[in-house]
Amino acid sequence: MRIFRYGRSALLVELAGTDEVMGLYRALSAAPPAGVVDLVPAARTLLVMFDPARTGVDSLARVVEGADPAAGAEAPAATVELPVSYDGPDLDAVADLTGLSPAEVVRRHTGAEYTVAFCGFAPGFAYLTGGDPALRVPRRDSPRTEVPAGAVGLAGEFTGVYPRPLPGGWQLIGRTAETLWDVDRDQPALLVPGTRVRFVAQ
Amino acid sequence: MIEIVRPGPLTTVQDLGRPGRAGLGVSPSGAADLGALRLANRLVGNPESAACLEVTLGGLAARFAETALVALTGAPTPVRVADRQGFVNGPLTVRAGETLVLGAPARGLRTYLAVRGGIDVPPVFGSRSTDLLSGLGPEPVRPGTRLPVGNAATGEPTVDIAPVPALPDALELRVLAGPRADWVTADAIRLLARQSYVVSPRSNRVGVRLDGPPLERARQDELPSEGIVRGAVQVPPDGKPVLFLADHPVTGGYPVIGVVEPADTDLLGQARPGQRVTLRWLAG
């Protein structure tokens, strides 16, 4: 664990990988240290934002270093099932890149249980980890100027669903009709850090 | 009710934003110059959190259906109310049926118009701010947009004119080093501290882009995305710094080499395209 100062009201905690980030995120979410106002998990880091009137860099760093990443692991996480039509424009390209048949790509994509590691890029966009390592593919060489809402894509170690039409370079293998982001819901993002996700072929 | 006659180049509804939800993917948004918004609200007896109009480069014309007490802060513009000359940084009465017209600011970029009672559009996650990056909150105002006035006032106006220091010709922003300062060369940091930059016209509420000598990267590998804060100084592949403002994305994939000091982020929100900027580097 390395802790960097990030302005006057945040620390950036760098960890070995998304599992460690998720562990620390859960631990600090389960028992938020005094003065912490937001936690932003990402691929290798957890941004800890605080109110400098209520805590300081040194005391907060000590709390973070002493946090037990296993502490929040037992927190019950919601499981979301996303029905997907596997007819994405890059399904054949992903099959070529992985040396698998399109049907095998679908079988492996639906065979894993994913966890939302972090949100970002746009409201409601979640980076899901836990996928089959055989499905790790690079982003497209040339991003699309608009990816439709509900598109299910792959990029590196992540899979994700576009919450609304956005530019994007992920390899699109399918689409879901579920609403990923709805400001009229109490919790507008369907997928938040820690949520478990399964994809079901339609 | 306030009816927008002319919005000027860009006018949005803003308040103190939606902090505390970045982990769920929601940017903080809110006024680019929070101090000016707070002052405008205090001048009309509102809580500091009431929603105002953020007027970019002046040009606003707004007709008031009912008599209202208003205040203008931030970038100082010429002000007219009907055929009377108005002023900034103090409470001003606009009578029913009159139109308030703002000219272009000589300095600064964003002028805040508070109305006693606050602008009462429906809040999204506790804020009425327009987030231009994620599309949350009300649309930017257009000719004909009607904005209800609420009853948020909690006190009586007590100040006729607030003493406000003039916005500077050239901006000097203090930047605290970290967390990825080592992703650019030591020469780049020296260059950053010595050279002056110019605010790019491609700047917006997401970030202020600087034109000037590019900063040389010490590392060419890709940084996995990580959290962003207001004031973060990011160095994209072209080496020209981006200083993030209110509608910043919650995560980003380019190294953040420092953060604008909290006391200077409101000045950053007034950075005007073409304006000269120097960054004072504070080693961590």
Side-chain angles (χ1 to χ4, degrees):
Chain A
M1 180 188 292
R2 289 171 73 197
I3 299 181
F4 298 95
R5 192 157 186 192
Y6 196 133
R8 300 287 176 189
S9 54
L11 295 176
L12 188 71
V13 186
E14 188 176 71
L15 296 140
T18 44
D19 289 347
E20 289 78 6
V21 172
M22 187 46 50
L24 184 62
Y25 173 73
R26 285 201 179 118
L28 296 181
S29 301
V36 169
V37 295
D38 206 354
L39 297 166
V40 186
R44 300 283 179 272
T45 56
L46 180 67
L47 179 69
V48 181
M49 299 172 75
F50 61 89
D51 176 357
R54 293 175 57 207
T55 187
V57 168
D58 296 337
S59 59
L60 189 57
R62 276 195 300 277
V63 173
V64 168
E65 280 167 349
D68 176 10
E74 299 306 312
T79 300
V80 171
E81 277 199 356
L82 294 175
V84 175
S85 305
Y86 282 94
D87 55 3
D90 301 324
L91 183 59
D92 290 339
V94 170
D96 287 346
L97 284 164
T98 56
L100 304 170
S101 67
E104 183 64 10
V105 170
V106 173
R107 197 188 68 77
R108 292 189 186 227
H109 195 253
T110 52
E113 185 180 74
Y114 301 84
T115 303
V116 177
F118 57 97
C119 298
F121 173 45
F125 192 95
Y127 292 77
L128 310 182
T129 55
D132 191 317
L135 296 184
R136 289 190 180 185
V137 290
R139 287 161 198 249
R140 286 167 52 85
D141 290 338
S142 166
R144 292 184 169 89
T145 52
E146 188 170 302
V147 171
V152 177
L154 298 170
E157 65 186 294
F158 302 110
T159 191
V161 185
Y162 285 78
R164 62 191 185 105
L166 289 163
W170 291 37
Q171 307 269 5
L172 306 180
I173 57 172
R175 65 197 154 85
T176 178
E178 292 292 305
T179 302
L180 276 289
W181 176 259
D182 180 354
V183 294
D184 293 328
R185 284 195 296 238
D186 283 349
Q187 172 45 265
L190 181 64
L191 309 180
V192 298
T195 306
R196 298 191 190 285
V197 180
R198 282 193 162 274
F199 293 99
V200 182
Q202 263 182 335
Chain B
M1 187 72 73
I2 304 170
E3 184 178 342
I4 303 300
V5 180
R6 275 200 327 266
L10 173 68
T11 296
T12 58
V13 177
Q14 295 296 337
D15 55 19
L16 299 179
R18 311 178 176 86
R21 294 174 179 270
L24 304 177
V26 178
S27 308
S29 192
D33 181 346
L34 290 163
L37 175 118
R38 289 190 169 103
L39 174 62
N41 276 322
R42 287 200 304 273
L43 287 170
V44 295
N46 284 346
E48 292 186 340
S49 58
C52 296
L53 286 179
E54 180 181 276
V55 183
T56 313
L57 273 176
L60 176 79
R63 189 181 162 278
F64 286 70
E66 296 92 27
T67 296
L69 189 70
V70 305
L72 293 153
T73 61
T77 64
V79 183
R80 291 206 74 79
V81 179
D83 55 359
R84 307 187 300 282
Q85 192 179 333
F87 49 87
V88 297
N89 296 324
L92 191 63
T93 299
V94 182
R95 288 193 289 264
E98 289 183 333
T99 298
L100 172 86
V101 178
L102 304 188
R107 288 180 183 194
L109 182 63
R110 297 180 172 97
T111 306
Y112 293 85
L113 168 63
V115 53
R116 181 169 167 81
I119 291 170
D120 192 17
V121 295
V124 179
F125 309 141
S127 165
R128 297 175 169 86
S129 289
T130 297
D131 181 339
L132 294 175
L133 182 76
S134 52
L136 292 181
E139 295 276 310
V141 304
R142 293 189 301 258
T145 298
R146 294 158 73 89
L147 299 166
V149 177
N151 50 12
T154 49
E156 293 305 318
T158 52
V159 173
D160 290 334
I161 286 283
V164 174
L167 288 166
D169 279 332
L171 286 179
E172 187 181 276
L173 304 172
R174 289 162 292 179
V175 174
L176 181 66
R180 302 294 181 190
D182 60 340
W183 279 61
V184 295
T185 62
D187 281 347
I189 298 289
R190 279 193 288 274
L191 188 70
L192 181 77
R194 214 176 40 233
Q195 299 290 318
S196 72
Y197 286 80
V198 173
V199 176
S200 160
R202 294 185 304 133
S203 302
N204 54 28
R205 281 181 43 83
V206 175
V208 173
R209 292 166 185 275
L210 300 185
D211 283 332
L215 301 178
E216 195 192 345
R217 287 267 288 261
R219 299 177 59 167
Q220 299 306 325
D221 44 327
E222 206 171 308
L223 180 75
S225 289
E226 54 194 31
I228 299 275
V229 300
R230 187 189 285 225
V233 179
Q234 190 189 61
V235 182
D238 69 4
K240 297 187 177 175
V242 178
L243 283 56
F244 280 111
L245 272 183
D247 292 354
H248 66 76
V250 298
T251 58
Y254 302 126
V256 169
I257 61 166
V259 181
V260 175
E261 287 280 83
D264 293 347
T265 50
D266 284 347
L267 270 183
L268 177 64
Q270 293 291 358
R272 175 172 168 146
Q275 192 174 17
R276 202 156 279 285
V277 180
T278 51
L279 302 177
R280 246 182 67 206
W281 186 256
L282 308 177

